[in-house]
Amino acid sequence: MTAPVPALPAKIHPLVRAFLDVPGAAEDALARFGSPAHLVFPQVYAENLRRLRAVLDRRLPSHRICYAHKVNRSRAFLRTAEHAGIAVDVASAGELTSAVDAGFGPARIEVTGPKGEALLRELVGAGVTVNVDNLWELRRLTELAGDHATVPVLLRMSGFAASAVSRFGIALADADQALRVLAAHPSRIALRGFAFHLDSGEPAERVRAVETCLELIERAYGYGLTPTVLDIGGGFRQVFTADADRFDGYVAALRESLLGRGEPMAWGGNTFGFHLDDTGVHGTPVFHKYANTVPATRMLDDLLGAPLEAHGGRTVAQVAAENMLELWLEPGKSLVDHAGITVARVEFVKQAADGSVLVNLDLSRDTVTPADQEVMVDPIVVPAVAHPEPDPPCPATTRDGHVGVFFAGRLCLERDLVTNHKVWLAHPPRPGDLVVFPNTAAYHTDLSAAAASMHPLPPKLAVAHRGGAFEVCPDADYEPAPTTLVPAASPAPRAPGVPR
Ligand SMILES: *Cc1c(COP(=O)(O)O)cnc(C)c1O
């Protein structure tokens, strides 16, 4: 009896799985549009949105979802959000243009993030809500607004008790200064409410931030201001793994290997953010997000149902409702969770001097992961339909019939390993095979992607399931189905086993 090979099985949405199961579908998309390619599934986005909305609808009379555009440049996602009637959170002049082009009017646009002089000038008089990051922004907006425009603003706060320090937001200690500026210029800036955005997955931190913002709303009344919005930001997490036990088993084996025990599993002395010393392996790895098993809907539901001590144990949702506050959300990654994959091709397989097997791909590391992380779900190898090459000789290291490989990128740089950890495959891939990276739509594809070595950025394609078949088009050309125009008597057809 041997232990199963270490593995990181990926959770795959049934619609994505169904697409990959259509023989030749992914290959055909690459043949038409080029390889590698990012594929987005706007219908999965729409489903994520429906689920988040259902949680909000159940608990709150009044809420708004602002899709955080920065998670992905996709126009198909943006069109899906616009079509569904939600709002958008933009964090640059480019994203603002993109949102306007996708059909969002100013009443449905919120501008977050750090804003320079040029962007502030553009925002004054535009009618969009400005989520103010700092006192300079607030004062500058007041000056720029002059006497012809009232700029609606949210104040983004930070420095909540026991939260990590953030570079964003107005320090709580400066809240009164901000409120004085607002009270002094009611015709130029109008306070809509308070906002925060926390990176943390720690539920208690969000509850404390909500409590603090409720206090600030009270304090604002004292200045004659009438805020009605409580914006709790994004940060609702994704679930990458299909098997938490196997994930934990892989990480345990990886930690052993870093201590020199068992089979080597790390490329080039990589320690994945762990600290190694005489007593063992410590710290939080760069891939910790992959260990999450709590879906965004549950995080949100738990937050809305959390009791607030200062409000006699009434829940966040109850207190918001009783005070007639509109709860705003800025989800990014939770809306695009499982709504994108990246598909590459195997160029060649080689063996390094130390015996490691390197599967070279036609993409680079920055195409599938933010530079400081590590892809901790196993890529899926889809054998090419027709193989021009004979089977390669079996590489040296096999285990249970599996070959342990590292995926290497196309850049002429030592560090361009797509996986720095070993991936065990049932069959050694062959040139021309497809390699699918699951769940790449959230920050993976667009955040650190560079046209290094003059390689063009991969095309982005939208995949839709319509009339029982998959359609692939350039992301920019995608349009959501006009649901309101479909007569009730003829529901959209769907294939067996494919969820709506
Ligand atoms: C990035 C960002 C978001 C989205 O965060 P997710 O973790 O992707 O949900 C929301 N609000 C602000 C202000 C952000 O900067």
Side-chain angles (χ1 to χ4, degrees), residues 68 70-71 89 91 112-113 131 156 168 196-199 233-236 330-334 443:
K70 81 165 187 278
V71 72
D89 154 5
T112 62
N131 188 326
R156 175 164 175 186
F168 298 114
F196 63 84
H197 168 66
L198 302 174
D199 255 348
F236 299 94
E330 299 161 352
K333 59 190 178 235
S334 54
Y443 303 111

Side-chain angles (χ1 to χ4, degrees), residues 303-320:
L303 176 66
L304 297 179
L308 296 174
E309 232 173 87
H311 297 263
R314 299 225 290 296
T315 66
V316 170
Q318 286 168 334
V319 173

Side-chain angles (χ1 to χ4, degrees), residues 72-90:
N72 196 300
R73 282 194 286 264
S74 165
R75 178 180 158 91
F77 289 157
L78 212 55
R79 282 294 307 137
T80 303
E82 194 284 323
H83 183 73
I86 62 168
V88 65
D89 154 5
V90 299

Side-chain angles (χ1 to χ4, degrees), residues 27 30-31 35-36 343-347 360-362 384 432-435:
E27 192 152 5
L30 265 57
S35 174
V343 187
R345 241 184 237 289
V346 176
E347 297 282 21
N360 274 72
L361 303 177
D362 62 357
D433 284 351
L434 302 189
V435 176

Side-chain angles (χ1 to χ4, degrees), residues 331-353:
K333 59 190 178 235
S334 54
L335 284 179
V336 304
D337 197 17
H338 297 288
I341 57 175
T342 299
V343 187
R345 241 184 237 289
V346 176
E347 297 282 21
F348 59 89
V349 180
K350 68 181 273 186
Q351 217 162 353

Side-chain angles (χ1 to χ4, degrees), residues 93-399:
E95 288 183 6
L96 176 59
T97 303
S98 159
V100 171
D101 288 350
F104 288 91
R108 281 203 285 158
I109 298 177
E110 179 206 358
V111 186
T112 62
K115 304 155 206 76
E117 175 77 16
L119 182 54
L120 287 184
R121 283 178 181 274
E122 201 177 322
L123 300 182
V124 168
V128 300
T129 296
V130 182
N131 188 326
V132 171
D133 174 75
N134 56 67
L135 290 173
W136 172 81
E137 260 181 28
L138 188 66
R139 295 198 177 103
R140 198 70 194 110
L141 274 178
T142 310
E143 291 161 8
L144 291 169
D147 291 321
H148 39 270
T150 309
V151 182
V153 300
L154 298 170
L155 296 184
R156 175 164 175 186
M157 306 307 298
S158 80
F160 304 103
S163 284
V165 68
S166 166
R167 57 168 285 215
F168 298 114
I170 298 170
L172 290 174
D174 292 338
D176 283 297
Q177 275 194 66
L179 292 172
R180 276 197 294 273
V181 174
L182 283 152
H185 303 283
S187 66
R188 297 182 171 200
I189 37 173
L191 179 67
R192 293 195 77 174
F194 291 88
F196 63 84
H197 168 66
L198 302 174
D199 255 348
S200 159
E202 174 57 49
E205 265 187 54
R206 271 195 184 69
V207 176
R208 276 195 299 274
V210 166
E211 250 170 350
T212 307
C213 285
L214 290 169
E215 285 166 28
L216 288 168
I217 287 171
E218 282 288 329
R219 207 189 301 178
Y221 295 153
Y223 285 83
L225 303 165
T226 53
T228 57
V229 172
L230 171 58
D231 179 348
I232 63 171
F236 299 94
R237 305 182 75 183
Q238 301 177 264
V239 177
F240 288 89
T241 182
D243 188 332
D245 291 338
R246 289 206 82 177
F247 180 88
D248 291 345
Y250 185 101
V251 175
L254 181 64
R255 293 169 71 117
E256 286 294 293
S257 85
L258 294 178
L259 295 171
R261 300 198 277 255
E263 185 174 338
M265 289 170 68
W267 175 263
N270 202 303
T271 56
F272 307 99
F274 285 122
H275 298 293
L276 273 54
D277 64 21
D278 295 347
T279 65
V281 178
H282 310 282
T284 305
V286 293
F287 52 73
H288 70 276
K289 74 177 185 188
Y290 289 90
N292 179 49
T293 56
V294 181
T297 43
R298 194 156 98 230
M299 262 183 89
L300 177 60
D301 201 41
D302 287 352
L303 176 66
L304 297 179
L308 296 174
E309 232 173 87
H311 297 263
R314 299 225 290 296
T315 66
V316 170
Q318 286 168 334
V319 173
E322 287 160 12
N323 290 282
M324 292 194 289
L325 296 175
E326 189 173 41
L327 195 102
W328 287 21
L329 232 62
E330 299 161 352
K333 59 190 178 235
S334 54
L335 284 179
V336 304
D337 197 17
H338 297 288
I341 57 175
T342 299
V343 187
R345 241 184 237 289
V346 176
E347 297 282 21
F348 59 89
V349 180
K350 68 181 273 186
Q351 217 162 353
D354 69 349
S356 299
V357 179
L358 295 168
V359 178
N360 274 72
L361 303 177
D362 62 357
L363 54 59
S364 49
R365 174 181 174 79
D366 64 4
T367 309
V368 288
T369 180
D372 56 347
Q373 297 182 8
E374 174 76 6
V375 172
M376 286 297 271
V377 286
D378 289 339
I380 299 161
V381 177
V382 182
V385 173
H387 263 300
E389 311 255 329
D391 267 17
C394 193
T397 49
T398 64
R399 185 163 159 183

